[in-house]
Amino acid sequence: MELNVCMLGGGTRLAAHLGSLKGIDEHGGRIRGWAGASAGSLVASVLAAGFSHDEAVDLMRDTDYRQFLDFRPLGIVRGYGLCAGRRFEQWLDSFLEGRRFCDLQHPLSVVCTDIQTGEPFIFSNQTTPETKVATSVRCSIGIPGIFAVRRMQGAILIDGSLAAIDDELLFPGSPHETVTIRLVRNQVARLARSKQFGLKTYVQRVAGMLLDAADEPSISGDQWRRTLLVRTGAHSSVNFDLSVQERAELYAMGYEQSRNFLDLSGTEVRKKSAAQPAATKDYRDLEELAEDAVRLACDTSRTVRLPTADGPLPTPEKKREQIPHNPYTTMTGFGFDAL
């Protein structure tokens, strides 16, 4: 089956998007168009530029997110954000080798929010062919308060996950169905008291609460059938200190919930084999389907280990309620092993 994929939100939890894409790939999905907002735009841009899933996973695994926090003392006054975001833009532009939208192998739409109107502002192959992809993604990951706003074409742009998005604006005229992947934080973590609670801590906490609120989706009608909600437990969207283990866990969450969603929804991406039976329940409505997808995705736990150059990362055996288990699958390759 050929389809378009739109990945919404995530912050530093972008590993969950990659895990979800792995699940779609194993169901035989051939992605023809890419779109994304916030962290989803980063994943979409790398894959639309022709990099493989393996390369995208390596990028996610090996990158220290803290390097992007280029703090400026007066940034909150001048640009309404503590960080300029220049380091991120330069890093991504270097990885993408300076690609513009007109240089991409696949259709790409990058969604931002125009803070003046609240409406989505979309960069794409058609509307902004000469714009550098890294510039558009920098605008889309503009977490309010953390990264400064960007002014382009008369718009003042911030994080794209804060805008309501219409699929038809992302892939105009496309004959393929669009699947939307949205990350949702479904557990509340107790925050440790900061010994030195200052402006940086305040902005990070407020930004995290704002993005958590934006995680709550407003989905109606037929959109339920085409929307994959990936529960990411207590992982915060503004945790720039994510460990290798935590990134592996997020990847596993996306992978397992993607497979369960596709099995339950009956999406005919690939006929199921006898060893991998499809669900037979006759669902009365799409809301019930979505609830069962989440229930099955979160019914057991396991520990995920990430290989390093010297072998598997040694981690203590931990049970984590948010790590799902699928008895029909194992995760090997793509930089991860699930135990």
Side-chain angles (χ1 to χ4, degrees):
M1 179 180 178
E2 297 183 337
L3 67 156
N4 302 315
V5 167
C6 174
M7 292 170 282
L8 302 181
T12 56
R13 301 170 296 175
L14 56 95
H17 281 306
L18 287 166
S20 299
L21 294 176
K22 171 64 173 172
I24 291 174
D25 177 71
E26 288 195 353
H27 273 71
R30 301 175 63 186
I31 300 174
R32 296 306 188 191
W34 298 94
S38 194
S41 70
L42 171 57
V43 177
S45 67
V46 169
L47 296 173
F51 292 93
S52 68
H53 188 91
D54 290 30
E55 290 171 314
V57 169
D58 288 342
L59 183 70
M60 174 275 299
R61 179 187 60 196
D62 299 335
T63 299
D64 182 357
Y65 300 152
R66 293 171 296 184
Q67 67 179 297
F68 305 136
L69 298 177
D70 47 354
F71 291 109
R72 306 174 304 163
L74 298 179
I76 197 69
V77 177
R78 295 175 178 175
Y80 310 112
L82 288 176
C83 303
R86 282 191 289 266
R87 288 182 189 171
F88 173 85
E89 186 173 348
Q90 292 168 358
W91 166 83
L92 182 59
D93 191 51
S94 176
F95 182 82
L96 296 178
E97 300 174 337
R99 284 178 174 85
R100 301 163 298 169
F101 277 87
C102 60
D103 301 322
L104 298 178
Q105 297 182 14
H106 305 282
L108 172 67
S109 292
V110 173
V111 182
C112 308
T113 303
D114 184 351
I115 190 63
Q116 297 181 104
T117 64
E119 296 293 326
F121 182 99
I122 301 174
F123 295 90
S124 71
N125 312 63
Q126 292 77 26
T127 60
T128 56
E130 298 298 324
T131 299
K132 281 195 171 185
V133 176
T135 299
S136 70
V137 176
R138 159 58 188 91
C139 295
S140 186
I141 60 101
I143 301 173
I146 293 183
F147 290 107
V149 302
R150 289 293 295 270
R151 293 173 169 84
M152 296 189 66
Q153 300 183 22
I156 301 178
L157 303 178
I158 61 171
D159 196 292
S161 63
L162 301 176
I165 303 169
D166 187 343
D167 292 351
E168 295 182 359
L169 297 177
L170 301 177
F171 306 103
S174 173
H176 309 305
E177 188 172 34
T178 298
V179 173
T180 298
I181 303 172
R182 183 186 289 270
L183 307 187
V184 178
R185 185 181 183 186
N186 61 312
Q187 295 180 14
V188 178
R190 181 181 295 276
L191 298 175
R193 290 182 177 273
S194 176
K195 294 181 179 179
Q196 295 180 339
F197 190 92
L199 181 60
K200 289 166 57 175
T201 304
Y202 170 77
V203 170
Q204 184 176 18
R205 297 278 173 91
V206 171
M209 295 171 67
L210 177 63
L211 294 184
D212 285 346
D215 277 351
E216 294 301 322
S218 177
I219 304 172
S220 60
D222 189 56
Q223 285 184 317
W224 272 109
R225 184 176 62 86
R226 298 179 288 108
T227 300
L228 166 59
L229 298 180
V230 177
R231 267 62 178 180
T232 60
H235 288 290
S236 168
S237 56
V238 293
N239 180 11
F240 288 83
D241 297 310
L242 277 175
S243 67
V244 173
Q245 172 71 17
E246 289 171 319
R247 299 181 199 200
E249 291 173 354
L250 284 163
Y251 188 99
M253 291 177 184
Y255 173 77
E256 296 289 359
Q257 294 183 60
S258 173
R259 289 187 59 90
N260 288 332
F261 173 82
L262 293 171
D263 287 343
L264 283 168
S265 65
T267 303
E268 294 183 4
V269 181
R270 182 180 72 184
K271 290 184 177 179
K272 309 299 185 297
S273 64
Q276 189 181 358
T280 58
K281 182 176 179 179
D282 182 16
Y283 290 95
R284 292 187 297 274
D285 54 53
L286 296 170
E287 287 80 359
E288 183 182 359
L289 184 156
E291 290 174 0
D292 274 12
V294 174
R295 176 181 57 79
L296 291 183
C298 302
D299 60 357
T300 54
S301 62
R302 65 181 174 189
T303 301
V304 181
R305 294 185 181 180
L306 182 66
T308 65
D310 300 321
L313 180 73
T315 58
E317 292 296 325
K318 293 182 179 180
K319 285 190 176 182
R320 296 181 179 269
E321 294 181 359
Q322 67 266 36
I323 304 298
H325 172 65
N326 186 329
Y328 299 112
T329 62
T330 58
M331 286 174 53
T332 57
F334 297 93
F336 293 103
D337 289 325
L339 304 182

